[in-house]
Amino acid sequence: MLKGFKDFLMRGNVVELAVAVVIGTAFTAIVTAVTKSLILPLVNSIGGSDPAKGLGFHIISGKEATFIDLGSVINAAINFVIVAAVVYFLLVLPMQKIQERRKRGQEAGPAEPTDVELLTEIRDLLRNQNKTS
């Protein structure tokens, strides 16, 4: 059971996915910091009903809990668009081009194992299974 789990973790695509998640999280943190520190103050400078709070307004005057913060919503939307654009242009678009080249036959796809390699793998698996039984 542990060997199967180890094999699963050591597959190339699982490790690559883990790296992508970590890098994506770090990149998102950078984009969020930039939008909160640079863009949000610019959006909030537009004004609103309470200059200290930025772009927004109170539904009920005097109640802090009823403040609708439009600046933060605009900031989150800008943050999303930046992250989505980077993901599209750095990941999705290049992968689409590679797939198109493979369909046209310009670039070889992943190599398929030969019959001998498959039979050797089956033999080794059966041998290991017989040793543990």
Side-chain angles (χ1 to χ4, degrees):
M1 181 170 73
L2 290 176
K3 182 184 179 320
F5 181 66
K6 178 184 169 193
D7 291 343
F8 169 74
L9 288 179
M10 297 313 290
R11 286 185 188 162
N13 53 356
V14 173
V15 174
E16 290 169 5
L17 180 61
V19 169
V21 168
V22 170
I23 296 294
T25 302
F27 177 74
T28 301
I30 291 170
V31 172
T32 301
V34 168
T35 55
K36 281 187 177 179
S37 299
L38 299 175
I39 296 174
L40 185 60
L42 293 173
V43 170
N44 284 342
S45 69
I46 295 170
S49 63
D50 187 355
K53 289 194 173 267
L55 182 61
F57 57 91
H58 284 94
I59 296 174
I60 300 173
S61 185
K63 287 194 172 185
E64 293 299 315
T66 65
F67 185 76
I68 295 186
D69 189 2
L70 298 175
S72 291
V73 173
I74 293 169
N75 190 52
I78 292 170
N79 191 11
F80 172 78
V81 168
I82 291 170
V83 171
V86 168
V87 167
Y88 179 76
F89 289 111
L90 293 182
L91 297 175
V92 174
L93 199 58
M95 287 304 295
Q96 286 177 344
K97 291 189 186 261
I98 289 171
Q99 289 173 348
E100 287 172 7
R101 276 191 246 140
R102 284 184 180 163
K103 285 181 184 175
R104 291 190 306 246
Q106 293 177 354
E107 186 174 312
E112 297 280 331
T114 64
D115 292 340
V116 173
E117 290 172 332
L118 289 174
L119 290 171
T120 303
E121 186 177 339
I122 292 169
R123 180 199 65 202
D124 293 342
L125 288 171
L126 289 171
R127 185 179 296 153
N128 288 339
Q129 186 178 21
N130 288 335
K131 286 181 183 177
T132 59
S133 298

